[in-house]
Amino acid sequence: MSRFSFSLLGGLLLAATACNQNPIASDAECAPAPPAAYTIKHPAWADSASIYEVNIRQYTPEGTFRAFEAHLPRLQKMGVGILWLMPVQPIGKLNRKGSLGSQYSIQDYRAINPEFGTMEDLRHLVQEAHKRGMHVILDWVANHTSWDSKLRQEHPEWFTKTAAGGFKPPVADWQDVIDLDYSRPELRRYMTETMAFWLREADLDGFRCDVAGLVPTDFWNKNRQELERVKPVFMLAEWDELFPPTFISRREFDPQTHLLEKAFDMTYALRLHGLLDSLGQGKASVALLDTYRAAESRRYPAQVYLMNFTTSHDVNSWDGTEYERLGRNALPLAVLAATLPGMPMVYSGQEAGLKKRLRFFDKDTIPWQDYPLQDFYTKLLQLKKRHPALRNGDPCSHFGRLPASGSPEVYAFVRRKEDAVVLTAINLGKQPHEITLAQLGPGTYRELFSEQILKLGSGSKVLLPAHSYRVYERLPDPDTSWF
């Protein structure tokens, strides 16, 4: 539901990167165990996962669980590990926006939106996803409900009130919802019990929590403990301690929410997303990627997960499509988001090369057009899934920047885990650039998209055309020992 501004110029810290800069460092240099405050134990199935956001309403002409279910084999083949379902509950009618309303205006937390199907349909979808090795998390809106919600009718005392005693939106622009009051212990118990209800009833694997930083962290910490009594869960927070959202003032923003310590496996990499937008538009130098990574490594231990993305339901509808915002750099930046440290996220329709803003409050089916980018995302997500050097939160997976002829538009790096190596290079500029790979030493590599074989010597170079990308995977070479 929330809206974040993604313009970052001038907002990044001016610091040199210091994180895992040596691409041939030994594994003895792995980062130490995380500080004691970080108690989250990620589910084992998440360490090589990518995440895929599912907009059930717009996914098919039917807009139902059953219709979406037919896409599971395709998404499994694509390499998706986690399916994130946008909210599935009934939507409020009072003060509704558009003809169908926002999926983040929850009318009844324990019911299914009849537009999507039934609880049995949702159960079947989750079961079929599990059969294919995928896990399913549900979008959870803990911060607010619709004006005509069941909670307002049954427990009006659980809501924040104006000075005159009336209900109020949490943010001025969100006129279709009203704010919940987490000083109420009864509300906290209800919310945790209801989330546990969905784990039991639908066998879900966790939650993506809307505007998580607006809900007290002590609630989330206790909530995680209680949910783990039902089953191990994966928790994603829509928040970024490195980036204040635009719907609150900087004075109101708390960069010390500590959401990743005891409550959440992952938060958004919103600051990185904003930087990608600036890079795509030629408004920033790639040197700021190093600045960002330095800020990230100072803030978090290596074991923390951050979610990398170029679009989402909010971004597509309100800020514009990838192709509006990033133009010819949309695919190079998608490659960057998929191969930088962090968990990559793909939004419904990216594999269709979606070039329209989906209406947020009305029916607007995705035009799939025979999935022109299906192979592109399959190669990226399958590489993420199988390659040891790209594991999520692995302190022994090393990151090293490669020189890029000093160009502010070319970024190249290597990620390595023991003998497994991935080299990524992108050119965001209008002119071709040549990069030298001397630091890598000799070896044999295969390019991910063209499958071209590259044999590196001491002075090997790669030519990057304008607005291009290359991803090389090192092949086993028993005659080469440069690690």
Side-chain angles (χ1 to χ4, degrees):
M1 166 133 182
S2 59
R3 295 280 318 284
F4 294 83
S5 169
F6 300 114
S7 176
L8 281 194
L9 292 182
L12 288 167
L13 298 175
L14 300 178
T17 184
C19 178
N20 292 333
Q21 285 299 294
N22 180 6
I24 56 173
S26 72
D27 287 335
E29 298 175 33
C30 287
Y38 288 82
T39 62
I40 289 294
K41 296 187 184 303
H42 307 296
W45 47 260
D47 70 352
S48 58
S50 302
I51 189 166
Y52 184 92
E53 182 184 4
V54 182
N55 189 334
I56 292 290
R57 172 186 284 173
Q58 315 298 22
Y59 214 90
T60 62
E62 302 88 346
T64 63
F65 298 130
R66 290 285 182 171
F68 167 70
E69 191 177 300
H71 289 261
L72 291 180
R74 178 178 67 81
L75 295 175
Q76 177 192 19
K77 182 179 179 181
M78 202 163 84
V80 171
I82 301 173
L83 296 168
W84 150 23
L85 304 182
M86 289 173 65
V88 301
Q89 294 97 335
I91 296 167
K93 295 182 179 179
L94 183 61
N95 296 329
R96 171 180 284 191
K97 294 183 177 182
S99 61
L100 297 178
S102 169
Q103 295 171 73
Y104 295 83
S105 179
I106 305 296
Q107 195 276 329
D108 185 349
Y109 279 106
R110 298 191 184 186
I112 291 282
N113 185 342
E115 297 172 29
F116 298 160
T118 65
M119 180 67 82
E120 180 54 39
D121 292 335
L122 177 60
R123 287 192 199 101
H124 194 269
L125 168 60
V126 175
Q127 289 168 2
E128 291 302 306
H130 287 169
K131 288 178 184 177
R132 290 168 171 80
M134 294 183 283
H135 293 77
V136 185
I137 65 174
L138 177 62
D139 215 322
W140 196 259
V141 188
N143 183 66
H144 46 263
T145 77
S146 70
W147 283 82
D148 53 356
S149 67
K150 188 175 181 181
L151 282 195
R152 179 192 167 177
Q153 296 167 20
E154 296 179 354
H155 296 285
E157 73 278 9
W158 290 1
F159 290 81
T160 307
K161 302 295 174 54
T162 66
F167 299 94
K168 67 175 187 177
V171 174
D173 184 51
W174 303 352
Q175 291 296 316
D176 56 340
V177 294
I178 50 177
D179 193 50
L180 286 163
D181 179 4
Y182 274 80
S183 70
R184 301 284 182 167
E186 300 87 351
L187 168 63
R188 292 179 175 227
R189 283 197 298 271
Y190 169 85
M191 197 62 68
T192 295
E193 289 168 1
T194 303
M195 294 173 78
F197 162 86
W198 285 93
L199 297 181
R200 295 187 181 98
E201 289 297 310
D203 198 22
L204 293 162
D205 301 295
F207 299 91
R208 176 269 187 190
C209 298
D210 191 60
V211 292
L214 297 187
V215 176
T217 300
D218 64 333
F219 163 76
W220 291 124
N221 291 345
K222 179 65 173 176
N223 175 265
R224 176 67 180 252
Q225 294 176 12
E226 294 300 316
L227 296 181
E228 292 280 350
R229 296 178 188 273
V230 180
K231 64 182 296 187
V233 292
F234 185 88
M235 301 289 285
L236 164 62
E238 187 198 19
W239 202 252
D240 185 350
E241 293 178 350
L242 295 172
F243 190 88
T246 56
F247 54 79
I248 60 176
S249 69
R250 288 183 176 269
R251 178 179 52 81
E252 295 173 299
F253 174 64
D254 180 7
Q256 302 292 338
T257 53
H258 303 285
L259 292 173
L260 287 165
E261 293 180 2
K262 297 178 174 60
F264 288 94
D265 295 272
M266 184 162 71
T267 63
Y268 280 43
L270 284 169
R271 186 170 182 172
L272 174 63
H273 176 77
L275 177 55
L276 297 186
D277 270 11
S278 295
L279 290 171
Q281 296 162 23
K283 297 178 180 178
S285 165
V286 296
L288 287 181
L289 285 166
D290 295 328
T291 305
Y292 165 75
R293 294 207 69 252
E296 179 188 310
S297 64
R298 285 195 301 271
R299 185 53 172 260
Y300 302 119
Q303 292 84 351
V304 155
Y305 292 6
L306 296 179
M307 187 179 78
N308 303 336
F309 61 104
T310 58
T311 192
S312 68
H313 64 277
D314 278 324
V315 176
N316 169 269
S317 293
W318 307 118
D319 297 333
T321 72
E322 299 163 88
Y323 304 95
E324 286 180 77
R325 293 177 292 104
L326 308 176
R328 294 180 64 189
N329 288 323
L331 296 189
L333 290 172
V335 168
L336 191 68
T339 55
L340 280 173
M343 184 185 292
M345 187 272 279
V346 176
Y347 176 49
S348 301
Q350 284 194 265
E351 67 270 44
L354 184 63
K355 292 184 178 179
K356 67 179 290 188
R357 300 188 185 201
L358 297 175
R359 293 194 293 271
F360 204 84
F361 308 115
D362 305 282
K363 179 65 176 168
D364 193 9
T365 305
I366 295 167
W368 290 103
Q369 304 181 82
D370 202 28
Y371 315 101
L373 293 179
Q374 178 81 19
D375 185 61
F376 172 81
Y377 281 105
T378 297
K379 289 181 183 298
L380 283 174
L381 300 193
Q382 286 289 358
L383 178 69
K384 172 72 177 183
K385 184 176 181 179
R386 65 178 165 76
H387 205 283
L390 302 185
R391 295 277 164 78
N392 299 316
D394 183 357
C396 294
S397 178
H398 296 281
F399 177 95
R401 272 275 271 129
L402 298 180
S405 304
S407 169
E409 300 164 329
V410 176
Y411 196 76
F413 61 92
V414 62
R415 294 184 66 189
R416 183 188 69 80
K417 175 73 179 288
E418 298 176 345
D419 289 348
V421 178
V422 171
L423 165 66
T424 298
I426 65 168
N427 178 8
L428 304 177
K430 298 178 181 179
Q431 302 297 326
H433 285 278
E434 193 173 62
I435 62 171
T436 301
L437 305 178
Q439 277 192 332
L440 286 177
T444 303
Y445 288 76
R446 179 174 54 224
E447 206 283 318
L448 182 66
F449 300 97
S450 67
E451 299 189 357
Q452 176 187 14
I453 299 299
L454 176 68
K455 291 186 179 293
L456 294 185
S458 59
S460 297
K461 297 181 178 180
V462 168
L463 180 66
L464 294 173
H467 307 291
S468 70
Y469 48 89
R470 299 287 186 269
V471 179
Y472 292 96
E473 178 183 5
R474 188 177 191 271
L475 300 177
D477 188 350
D479 297 326
T480 300
S481 177
W482 53 275
F483 293 98

